[in-house]
Amino acid sequence: LYRPRRMGPHVAEFFDIAKANTLSVLVLVAFTAFLRQPEYSRLVFLYFWFLNLITLGFSRMAFREGLRFIRKQGFNQRHCLIIGAGKLGQQVARLLGIHSEFGIKVQGFLTRHPNKLGRTFEGIHVIGLYSDIEKYAAVTDMVFLCLPPDEEQGAEKMFQFLATTTMEVKVVPSIYEFITLRAEAEMFEGLPLI
């Protein structure tokens, strides 16, 4: 409920609010049942639940939209690196450029190919190799890992380093390039299935 949701939909946040609100009202009902005070009507608890849900939902939505407006103006920005300058990394850069309301500014690409250094994709420069991640860690808030499938060894080393930092890591699976319009993603015991 309290984690940052720059990129998430309002509906997911509203459902989290509804779950927390429902649980808190149930605890309140259970607590008042043990008190030997005059009984409260169940309708009062229902009204409280409904009004609390609407008030919290709309106030959080208004606050979030205010933050999005501020971020579009260039304030409250987070700085990110895109690791992988291939098609997938370029698509992530393009989408982040379109959605300025997320407040995520791309500092550059890191690549495994030295011949791509200095090139520009989607208006963003390739500023280093995978091994340069340590150099940029201090000035980066977020990392998007957009690695090709044949780069598992490099990814393992990067994950080991990223685990020691405070950067938020977003992994964009390379299988995304092969998904058709009819594919769906599901979770099975913590494993993503497509």
Side-chain angles (χ1 to χ4, degrees):
L1 189 60
Y2 294 106
R3 65 179 184 263
R5 297 177 189 243
R6 284 179 186 253
M7 301 173 77
H10 289 299
V11 174
E13 185 174 18
F14 189 77
F15 280 127
D16 286 346
I17 291 170
K19 287 188 283 187
N21 187 39
T22 302
L23 181 64
S24 64
V25 168
L26 289 175
V27 168
L28 180 65
V29 168
F31 182 71
T32 57
F34 289 113
L35 294 176
R36 301 289 181 205
Q37 299 292 326
E39 292 210 14
Y40 297 99
S41 165
R42 283 179 246 157
L43 195 56
V44 169
F45 289 116
L46 184 64
Y47 284 151
F48 175 73
W49 174 82
F50 180 74
L51 290 174
N52 197 26
L53 181 65
I54 297 301
T55 304
L56 282 175
F58 281 120
S59 64
R60 297 267 305 233
M61 208 178 321
F63 181 73
R64 198 164 166 198
E65 286 303 314
L67 280 175
R68 285 184 173 191
F69 176 77
I70 289 170
R71 289 175 184 141
K72 271 189 173 183
Q73 307 307 314
F75 299 103
N76 192 19
Q77 299 289 303
R78 293 190 71 195
H79 303 282
C80 81
L81 280 176
I82 299 177
I83 300 178
K87 290 180 188 175
L88 193 56
Q90 292 173 32
Q91 184 170 5
V92 168
R94 181 174 41 258
L95 292 173
L96 288 174
I98 291 171
H99 293 284
S100 60
E101 71 271 12
F102 293 156
I104 299 173
K105 185 175 182 198
V106 180
Q107 298 299 311
F109 289 104
L110 296 183
T111 184
R112 65 179 169 169
H113 301 293
N115 60 341
K116 285 187 178 178
L117 286 172
R119 293 181 60 191
T120 301
F121 300 104
E122 301 295 330
I124 298 164
H125 296 291
V126 179
I127 58 175
L129 299 172
Y130 291 167
S131 58
D132 295 332
I133 183 72
E134 295 177 25
K135 184 168 64 172
Y136 296 104
V139 294
T140 304
D141 302 311
M142 185 183 295
V143 169
F144 287 89
L145 278 175
C146 306
L147 300 176
D150 61 339
E151 197 55 39
E152 282 186 29
Q153 288 178 331
E156 192 173 321
K157 279 175 112 175
M158 274 188 270
F159 278 128
Q160 288 174 352
F161 170 73
L162 291 171
T164 65
T165 69
T166 58
M167 289 188 286
E168 183 179 348
V169 179
K170 305 275 188 189
V171 179
V172 183
S174 59
I175 192 72
Y176 176 77
E177 296 176 15
F178 306 108
I179 294 177
T180 64
L181 293 175
R182 296 179 48 102
E184 294 180 13
E186 302 175 62
M187 292 300 284
F188 173 69
E189 296 293 324
L191 296 172
L193 300 176
I194 298 176

